[in-house]
Amino acid sequence: MGGEVMGGEAMGGEAMGGASRAGEVLAAALDLAAPAECGGCGRPGTPWCRRCASAVVDDPIALTPRVELDVAAWAAGRYRGPLARAVVELKEHRRRDLIPVLGQVLSHGLLRLAEWEQLPTARRLALIPAPTRAVAARRRGGDPVTAIARSAADRLGPHVAVVPLLSTAPWTRDSAGLSAGRRMANLHGAVAVSRTRPAGLRPPHRDVAVVLIDDVLTTGATAAAAVAALRGAGITVASAVVVASA
Ligand SMILES: [Zn+2]
């Protein structure tokens, strides 16, 4: 787009108008590269301000989802304030610069859970991102949950890997706005487990503990469907950890 403007009308008759338009295009491109607004509070001048950075540091929260989940569920933080806004900015406004911010929140939560002995002791940890509908992932410029999990794993070291194994069938609807019961019905039988998986995750995968990862836990329907699908494929989920509780 920039090239078109520079090579085309900007260099033509109206030099001044063209130059300012090219300037606007460049400013817009720079905005995309480094957003000038804090993703947590909207404060101008920084993509993530110090106040928001300290506000999202929290101890993990034990969750009791509405849909029964027979593994422990934890949130790295509460879905409010800067953390909630950052999740929305990433998912709805493609603020991918916030992936490391949310990855840090998740890695901090996982470390705390390990300290509290709430994660199984295994030689390795596999983070399996909750399933995303392909169409939603495309619209959001890539699956944000997998990206957040990768960022967390990078911080946690070589014993932690992200293993994206789950997808949802194309007939599932976006679950936003659906009740718990409708979410369950929507997801029933719709979560597929990839047949290609790392050797360490073949049953009974004793050396690898599996944690299901999602950005937000609302009713628990997605997590429950994912845990059931993985169990059906011989993979035992130890717990579900989300970035933020709803
Ligand atoms: Zn802020």
Side-chain angles (χ1 to χ4, degrees):
M1 194 167 133
E4 188 186 314
V5 171
M6 292 302 287
E9 56 189 286
M11 293 294 133
E14 245 185 306
M16 287 305 287
S20 77
R21 173 140 178 230
E24 279 169 29
V25 170
L26 181 61
L30 287 175
D31 273 350
L32 281 179
E37 270 187 12
C38 172
C41 66
R43 187 187 309 260
T46 173
W48 187 246
C49 77
R50 288 168 68 172
R51 191 183 295 183
C52 288
S54 64
V56 297
V57 178
D58 205 348
D59 274 345
I61 302 144
L63 305 177
T64 325
R66 256 178 287 161
V67 173
E68 199 179 335
L69 193 62
D70 47 13
V71 301
W74 296 90
R78 292 201 185 280
Y79 188 79
R80 65 183 179 200
L83 186 55
R85 182 160 171 163
V87 168
V88 171
E89 288 291 318
L90 167 59
K91 283 172 74 172
E92 305 305 330
H93 302 127
R94 301 189 192 194
R95 282 283 307 265
R96 294 184 72 84
D97 61 304
L98 297 172
I99 287 167
V101 166
L102 297 174
Q104 185 175 16
V105 170
L106 181 61
S107 67
H108 177 80
L110 288 166
L111 276 176
R112 291 298 258 179
L113 290 171
E115 283 168 22
W116 294 352
E117 299 181 348
Q118 294 296 328
L119 290 180
T121 46
R123 285 170 51 207
R124 285 177 289 158
L125 188 63
L127 308 179
I128 300 191
T132 308
R133 291 183 318 148
V135 60
R138 270 200 301 275
R139 197 184 63 226
R140 290 163 185 162
D143 169 23
V145 175
T146 301
I148 293 167
R150 287 214 165 100
S151 168
D154 286 347
R155 290 169 176 276
L156 292 169
H159 302 295
V160 182
V162 178
V163 189
L165 287 181
L166 301 175
S167 57
T168 52
W171 70 81
T172 53
R173 297 172 50 190
D174 193 337
S175 61
L178 297 183
S179 68
R182 284 184 164 253
R183 281 180 189 225
M184 282 300 279
N186 186 38
L187 287 166
H188 184 75
V191 176
V193 183
S194 166
R195 285 180 200 183
T196 52
R197 65 182 78 162
L201 272 181
R202 296 204 185 106
H205 66 83
R206 288 197 186 88
D207 289 338
V208 182
V210 172
V211 173
L212 181 76
I213 300 292
D214 209 345
D215 50 1
V216 176
L217 191 137
T218 311
T219 62
T222 305
V227 168
L230 286 166
R231 182 176 298 138
I235 296 175
T236 306
V237 176
S239 54
V241 179
V242 299
V243 175
S245 63

